[in-house]
Structures are given as C-alpha cells and as structure tokens.
Amino acid sequence: MSTAGILSLRSAGLQISSAAPRRPLGEEEFNFEANAGKLPLEMIYRGAKDEKFLRATWNVEDDIVVRLLVTFLDATAERELQKETDKQRQELMLIQELLNVSPSKAAQFFSTSLPLLKENERIIHQEQQLTPAAVRMLFVNAHTVKGAARTLQFKDLARQIHEMEDYYAHIFKDGELILTQRLKDDIAATLAVIHRYVDINRSKLNRADNYSKVVLERDFIEKHYFFIKDLIEDPPEVGNIIDWLREQNEALTRLIFEQLPASFDGYKERALKIARDLGKADPIFDFNIDDISIPPDQKTVLDNCMVHLLRNALDHGIESPAERKRKGKSEHVCIKAVTTIEPHLLTISMSDDGRGLAVQKLRAKGEAHGLLNGSSTLQDVADLIFASGISTAHEISEIPGRGVGMHAVQTFMEKVGGTIHVRVGAPKDETAEYYDFWFEIQFKRSQTNLALAS
C-alpha cells in the first residue's frame, strides 16, 4: 500500500495513529522490517453513528516488496472492555485508600476540604481579572487540602491538586501569565476527583458524610460483653460498678468527642506550613486552651473556621518581615488563642499582632456598596467582613480585613448552633486607620461537655 493509499483511508473515515514507513515499496524485505515500527497498528474508524477501533497487521509476500497486505480486526469491544477494566481497577484503588482511613477521618476531610476547593472555584469564576494576590489565596487553599490528602494517602487527589497548585505558585512567585481558562479547567478537574472519592465513600462503602458511626475495636466490645455477663451472673459491689462506669465513660468520650488541645496543636502545624509557603517568618503561638472535648460536628466547623482565620491572617493581615522590623516588631507574628468556659457556652478568642483591621477602607467599601451610611457604628464596619460578596479576594488584597470566606464560616457556625463575631479594640495609631481586633467563636456545650470539664 502506498502513502497515497493510506491517505485515502484517512479521507474515508480512518484516523491513522502514526506515519507510514519510508520507501518500503520496491525495496528488499529487510528494508520493510527496518521501517515496520512506523506503521500504524491501530486505527479509528468514525462512521455516521458510531466509532470503531481497528487493529492492523502488515505483511509482505516477496523478497522484493511489491505490495503490502494489511488486515484489520475490529477491536472495539476489546477496547471498551479494557476501559471498563481500567475504571474498575482505579475504583478499587480508591476504595483501598478510603478503607485505610477511618469513616470519621474521611468525613472530616471531605467536610473541611470541599469548602476550600469550592471557594477557589468561586474566586476563579467571580473575579473579572485575577490578581496575583487572589491567586496566592487559591494556592494557600489548595496547599491546605493537598497536605491533608497526602496525610490520608489519597494519592489521586494529592497528585491532581499538586499540578493545580504548582501553576498557582508559578503565577505569584515567578510572574507567569494568568490563564483564566486553565484555572477553571484545573479546579473543575480537581473537584471531579474529590467528588469521585466522596461518591465511592458513600455508594461503595456505605459511609455517611457525618459522624453518625464510630469504629470500635473488637477488644473494646469483648471487654464490655464479659463485664455485663459477669455483672448479671455475679453482681459486684456498687462502688466497683460506679468506678467501672466512670472508666468506660471516659473511654467512650475519647472515641466520640474531640479533644480541643490536640486540635489546636494541629492548627499550629497548619499555620507553620501556610507561613512558610507565603514567605513569612514562623509564627509564635500563645495558646491557652482548656482540656475539654467538643462534639465532632463542632470540631468540623471549628476546623473550617481556623483554616480561614489562619490563612487570612498570615496572607493579608500580617506584615512582611521587613515591614514588621520597620515598625519595631518581631518578624515572628504572635497568634493568640484563649478559651473561656461558662455554663453551657464555650468561647474561643483568636487574635494576632498584625497590622490590624483596616476600618477606614472597610467603611468606604461598605458605603460604596450601600451597606453602610454616615451613622454606622464601628461595630457595623467591622461586621462588614461577614457580608457575602463584599470581601472578595481582589478587594481583600487592598483591605486587610481578613474577610475572605468568612461569610461561609458564619453560615457553618450557625448550622451547629455556634456563632462567630469580630470584636474591635483601640486604634493602632493616631491616624485610626487600623484597629486592634479579635475573633470570638462560641459553641453551645452539651451535658457531656459540661461533665468532662468538671
């Protein structure tokens, strides 16, 4: 078959996957063998209604190549079977990854990671022209999710996020051109991957998206079984029963509830990673956290809240090391967290020694949006950071008000009966452009929480 013959096949609907061999006709068979690797071994036939995959074999008949004999085998069914096999193999890999993680950890990961990726999607689609500062916000969100995915060994998701995150880094670190369509394609692909994990977790493993199930070790169950059996057959002293019940109550509490000090240790690690990624000095932490437990649903919301607070503070609210030195500050920002326990209420106060809340700029922005007027109070201005749509990534780069994602955080808090407020202190300087401020997070405490703290 000549090159012209192959071209005619293409025009008839065949797509050739490689180039034809060079000069096989009129040459010895050895010449044909030397060039056979360039022959197309697979072709795609696209008809009016369907598409077929054809596997080709090539042969010569004489010592001197006068003609080539090509045989086509319809491999469409085989190809579809291979695709389905690959799909099932990939699904089995994801199932194995998910089985290596407890249901509660998987649920917690999805509940904290999906909002961050959704926020990236919202920023990309809402901004008319993304700034490097906005892209830096995308990077921090992506990096946070990637770190958690790697910890849980969700390999496909971590790999997909790494590719997306790498492009973000090149934009704000190397000045690479911002291609909005690529950003949209990347976040769409990443969301597709994480949703695949979520769907398999639900449909194949029958896991809930919340903390309705707790995994118990067999030894734990056996111990309880034999105790109840002995209790029925030979009742012990009342005092011994109470001691045992107290011991088991503490064990169940550790299984069902989250220890707050351990959670804040995790937040320290996140803050260190964010600071280093943004070229900021390592923060100093001043955490005074009571040794109490909180329910898993509150822990999930607190995780979301802390990710936003730490990210917004380290990215926008904290000066660069050079600027902090000019102001006579340590280049290491100090992040404070204090818990206060009251009857039926847990309060967490978060603050830092950054540049403060840009009250004047926030007021101007609020008045421009018709959300504030001349009689608006200082608290009205501060509350503006929770207004949906006012604190976009573009605006937050101009106003260090820490408002990116805070409307979503406020919504999450309300779903579990909690609240988050911003409290304003004194002006940072004579111009009163920036004010001291702190966030106040509050959760209602259950009877179990009250017992644990007593």
Side-chain angles (χ1 to χ4, degrees):
M1 180 180 295
S2 66
T3 303
I6 295 178
L7 290 175
S8 67
L9 286 175
R10 184 181 288 114
S11 64
L14 281 173
Q15 177 178 313
I16 310 300
S17 59
S18 65
R22 297 176 61 189
R23 299 176 57 203
L25 298 179
E27 302 288 341
E28 295 183 359
E29 184 177 354
F30 173 79
N31 190 301
F32 169 80
E33 296 291 343
N35 287 275
K38 300 175 183 178
L39 285 166
L41 300 179
E42 188 176 83
M43 304 178 188
I44 302 174
Y45 176 80
R46 290 190 172 91
K49 295 183 179 180
D50 58 0
E51 180 179 89
K52 292 186 178 296
F53 292 88
L54 306 177
R55 183 171 296 125
T57 55
W58 300 79
N59 294 285
V60 295
E61 297 181 354
D62 302 306
D63 292 339
I64 301 299
V65 179
V66 178
R67 64 177 62 86
L68 299 179
L69 176 64
V70 58
T71 305
F72 293 109
L73 173 67
D74 187 350
T76 305
E78 182 181 338
R79 172 61 70 88
E80 292 301 317
L81 179 61
Q82 184 62 45
K83 287 171 61 178
E84 184 61 29
T85 301
D86 292 342
K87 180 181 177 182
Q88 291 181 1
R89 184 183 297 112
Q90 177 67 18
E91 187 174 274
L92 286 173
M93 290 176 60
L94 298 187
I95 288 174
Q96 185 59 56
E97 290 179 6
L98 286 163
L99 285 174
N100 291 334
V101 177
S102 68
S104 61
K105 284 187 176 180
Q108 185 174 344
F109 170 77
F110 296 135
S111 64
T112 56
S113 298
L114 268 171
L116 291 176
L117 294 177
K118 283 287 188 182
E119 183 180 52
N120 276 14
E121 182 185 45
R122 185 169 57 253
I123 291 172
I124 291 169
H125 285 270
Q126 283 183 352
E127 293 291 331
Q128 296 296 322
Q129 184 176 2
L130 287 169
T131 64
V135 177
R136 190 168 64 247
M137 181 67 69
L138 301 178
F139 172 83
V140 173
N141 284 354
H143 189 75
T144 300
V145 178
K146 186 186 76 171
R150 281 184 169 176
T151 299
L152 299 181
Q153 292 293 303
F154 290 167
K155 297 177 182 178
D156 268 13
L157 181 59
R159 183 166 47 250
Q160 175 64 40
I161 296 177
H162 177 74
E163 295 176 3
M164 177 177 68
E165 172 200 60
D166 192 52
Y167 179 50
Y168 297 159
H170 284 305
I171 291 174
F172 75 82
K173 290 182 180 179
D174 305 328
E176 188 167 327
L177 183 66
I178 298 177
L179 302 175
T180 304
Q181 189 55 51
R182 176 174 175 178
L183 295 176
K184 291 180 179 179
D185 293 342
D186 283 350
I187 190 62
T190 301
L191 285 169
V193 173
I194 193 171
H195 280 303
R196 188 156 66 244
Y197 277 89
V198 172
D199 291 342
I200 290 175
N201 198 53
R202 290 174 183 166
S203 60
K204 301 298 182 180
L205 302 182
N206 195 30
R207 290 175 168 181
D209 294 336
N210 52 40
Y211 295 89
S212 60
K213 297 181 180 179
V214 176
V215 178
L216 296 177
E217 296 290 338
R218 182 181 180 86
D219 290 345
F220 186 89
I221 299 175
E222 287 182 353
K223 182 179 180 181
H224 283 69
Y225 166 77
F226 286 116
F227 175 82
I228 294 173
K229 183 173 180 294
D230 293 341
L231 183 65
I232 295 172
E233 295 176 355
D234 185 16
E237 296 292 331
V238 173
N240 293 335
I241 295 177
I242 293 175
D243 290 340
W244 183 87
L245 289 175
R246 184 179 292 111
E247 177 185 336
Q248 298 315 305
N249 179 62
E250 292 175 356
L252 286 171
T253 297
R254 288 191 294 270
L255 285 170
I256 299 172
F257 294 90
E258 302 285 344
Q259 299 301 120
L260 203 57
S263 297
F264 272 82
D265 286 340
Y267 301 148
K268 290 180 183 179
E269 295 179 6
R270 288 190 180 187
L272 286 170
K273 289 180 180 178
I274 293 172
R276 291 167 184 173
D277 289 335
L278 296 172
K280 304 288 179 71
D282 287 354
I284 296 173
F285 302 99
D286 182 8
F287 287 179
N288 185 8
I289 308 300
D290 288 285
D291 189 14
I292 61 173
S293 299
I294 61 173
D297 57 343
Q298 292 183 358
K299 169 63 164 54
T300 298
V301 171
L302 182 61
D303 283 349
N304 274 312
C305 184
M306 292 301 298
V307 166
H308 283 79
L309 292 182
L310 293 172
R311 178 205 60 189
N312 291 349
L314 291 166
D315 192 14
H316 303 296
I318 306 302
E319 310 94 327
S320 67
E323 184 180 351
R324 289 180 64 84
K325 284 185 177 180
R326 287 196 301 270
K327 293 180 178 180
K329 297 180 178 181
S330 167
E331 64 178 2
H332 302 277
V333 63
C334 181
I335 299 176
K336 295 183 179 182
V338 179
T339 56
T340 304
I341 300 175
E342 302 175 51
H344 305 287
L345 192 66
L346 166 65
T347 302
I348 304 171
S349 298
M350 289 288 304
S351 62
D352 59 67
D353 65 347
R355 60 169 56 94
L357 190 67
V359 170
Q360 292 184 16
K361 291 182 179 179
L362 277 173
R363 182 184 291 276
K365 185 64 65 174
E367 291 176 353
H369 282 73
L371 300 175
L372 299 175
N373 53 46
S375 61
S376 298
T377 65
L378 183 61
Q379 188 61 50
D380 293 333
V381 176
D383 289 339
L384 200 64
I385 67 172
F386 295 111
S388 177
I390 189 66
S391 294
T392 65
H394 173 69
E395 290 164 336
I396 212 68
S397 66
E398 300 172 354
I399 304 174
R402 327 293 182 85
V404 177
M406 295 310 298
H407 174 71
V409 168
Q410 190 178 54
T411 302
F412 294 150
M413 294 289 294
E414 291 172 353
K415 288 182 179 179
V416 296
T419 60
I420 179 169
H421 300 285
V422 58
R423 305 302 186 191
V424 187
K428 300 283 283 189
D429 51 38
E430 295 179 356
T431 65
E433 182 178 357
Y434 292 95
Y435 279 68
D436 283 322
F437 77 105
W438 64 96
F439 286 102
E440 195 173 84
I441 303 163
Q442 292 185 326
F443 290 106
K444 294 180 180 178
R445 301 174 60 216
S446 65
Q447 290 300 318
T448 303
N449 294 131
L450 291 172
L452 290 171
S454 62

